[in-house]
Amino acid sequence: MHLFKGNVGSGVFAMGYGFKNAGIMIGPWVIIVLGIICTHCMHVLLSCAKRASRITGAEVRPDFAETVQLCFETGTIAMKRAATYMRKIVNLFLCITQLGFCCVYFVFIADNLKQVLDYYGLIIDVHFHMAILLLPILLSCLIRNLKFLAPLSTVANVFMVIGISITVYYNTQNLPAISERKYVAELHQLPLFFGTALFAFEGIGLVLPLQNEMKRPDEFKKPLGVLNVGMSVVTVIYMMMGLLSYLKYGEDVMGSVTLNLPETDKLAQSVKIMISLAILLTYALQFYIPVDVIWPNVIKTFGPFNHPVLMEYTFRIFLVLVTFVLAEAIPYLGLFISLVGAVSSTTLALLFPPIIEIVLHYNISELTAWIIIKDGVIILVGLLGCVTGTYESLHSIVNQFVAEGS
């Protein structure tokens, strides 16, 4: 369930928009290939963590950033010197990713609530909806103990499953012929699909903590273990949601398919409210990670403080305001999702795992041609997707602003 929640968030509702940028023939195959590559990279991360911990004699179970550091510490003096910096780089991208999710959440919730309230005559600009959301989000982010966020996460899970189920129900009604949809999208659109898909596969930072908390950690990565089964289910959900959403709404599919549901239908309105609440309750959980990474460094740099709790609350409020301002600045949900996926999700999911596998095996003199070729291909795919996806997302965002300005 944690693996499901860690990978299935607002990105699942953007898959229809992603398929619009890929086409009906390309989209499913790319999702399957990316699912296999991302799952393999998760296995690589788990194996490197276990091996590097044993070699370096680390007594604690490492997280993602610590695993990268340990892999570099198995090498030469130069690599050992770079180890700390590599850990900081991973933490930086983790923070960018999580805060990017938080920005997307602001836009996602505001867009869905606006549709519901517009129907009932309360018509206000989407930017004001974001401003209204700021207060409840701020209050939820002032919860400092992860234990107290657990009930919120449980409620969010229930809302999310119900919302996905009802959305699939709507997407299967009165489907047009497949021939009415694009089989293959234009070449320049594919990077946007890549970014959207990578945004959806957002759970690589979760795999080490999950394995560490299991009673039988070795069960996690077995052929029919939690990781493979869980990621297979997640991949099927993405493929099904993307295919049905695009098939149903075609070129009119929006950044979140919930925005395509009938505005006058009470059941559809309830889905938009439930999903919005689920994402609202998830914000604080996603926000917890960057705070957990950045705040200790703030204390180390500027502390100790006379009133540490007050200063932490101030820092949390500041960080929420940063995500709010960014969301207000780029209110284009589909393009925002693609940008976050291309920049940060790609780096974490497709670049760091193969890099540390090459580094570790090189340091212990076990680097083979197969590892070089395999990881080289994954790195190449990651770099290509990152560069082209970032460029195309920024280009499309600028074009949107220019179009609105004119």
Side-chain angles (χ1 to χ4, degrees), residues 72-236:
F72 275 82
E73 286 181 349
T74 62
T76 61
I77 294 176
M79 283 193 177
K80 288 178 180 177
R81 287 174 181 167
T84 302
Y85 294 104
M86 295 303 297
R87 188 194 77 237
K88 290 179 179 178
I89 291 172
V90 173
N91 277 330
L92 173 64
F93 276 102
L94 278 171
C95 291
I96 292 172
T97 302
Q98 297 304 126
L99 293 175
F101 293 159
C102 292
C103 294
V104 168
Y105 289 176
F106 261 113
V107 182
F108 182 95
I109 300 168
D111 283 348
N112 280 275
L113 289 183
K114 176 174 171 55
Q115 273 201 352
V116 176
L117 295 178
D118 281 358
Y119 175 74
Y120 290 100
L122 188 59
I123 302 174
I124 56 177
D125 189 81
V126 68
H127 295 284
F128 288 106
H129 281 283
M130 290 189 211
I132 294 168
L133 288 169
L134 183 58
L135 180 59
I137 286 176
L138 269 176
L139 292 175
S140 69
C141 290
L142 294 180
I143 300 174
R144 297 168 59 234
N145 194 322
L146 194 59
K147 177 177 65 176
F148 297 120
L149 291 176
L152 301 182
S153 184
T154 302
V155 174
N157 275 340
V158 173
F159 283 162
M160 186 65 73
V161 170
I162 295 173
I164 289 174
S165 301
I166 297 175
T167 303
V168 169
Y169 162 75
Y170 274 106
N171 287 351
T172 55
Q173 303 301 304
N174 302 317
L175 289 174
I178 294 179
S179 58
E180 296 182 23
R181 302 293 176 243
K182 285 191 299 188
Y183 289 106
V184 179
E186 294 181 26
L187 187 62
H188 71 88
Q189 293 178 279
L190 293 178
L192 291 174
F193 171 63
F194 185 87
T196 303
L198 259 297
F199 177 92
F201 285 106
E202 61 192 56
I204 191 164
L206 190 67
V207 292
L208 282 167
L210 276 182
Q211 186 190 48
N212 293 341
E213 291 300 321
M214 288 181 66
K215 290 181 179 178
R216 297 185 297 277
D218 289 339
E219 298 285 335
F220 188 74
K221 57 179 184 177
K222 284 187 173 181
L224 291 177
V226 173
L227 181 56
N228 286 349
V229 173
M231 290 305 296
S232 297
V233 171
V234 167
T235 302
V236 169

Side-chain angles (χ1 to χ4, degrees), residues 16-35:
Y17 179 84
F19 270 57
K20 181 179 79 170
N21 292 310
I24 273 188
M25 295 297 294
I26 300 294
W29 291 108
V30 174
I31 287 293
I32 291 172
V33 171
L34 282 180

Side-chain angles (χ1 to χ4, degrees), residues 306-325:
N306 293 328
H307 304 284
V309 175
L310 178 62
M311 290 304 297
E312 183 178 345
Y313 281 142
T314 304
F315 173 74
R316 285 171 173 266
I317 291 170
F318 168 75
L319 214 54
V320 171
L321 290 175
V322 169
T323 63
F324 168 71
V325 170

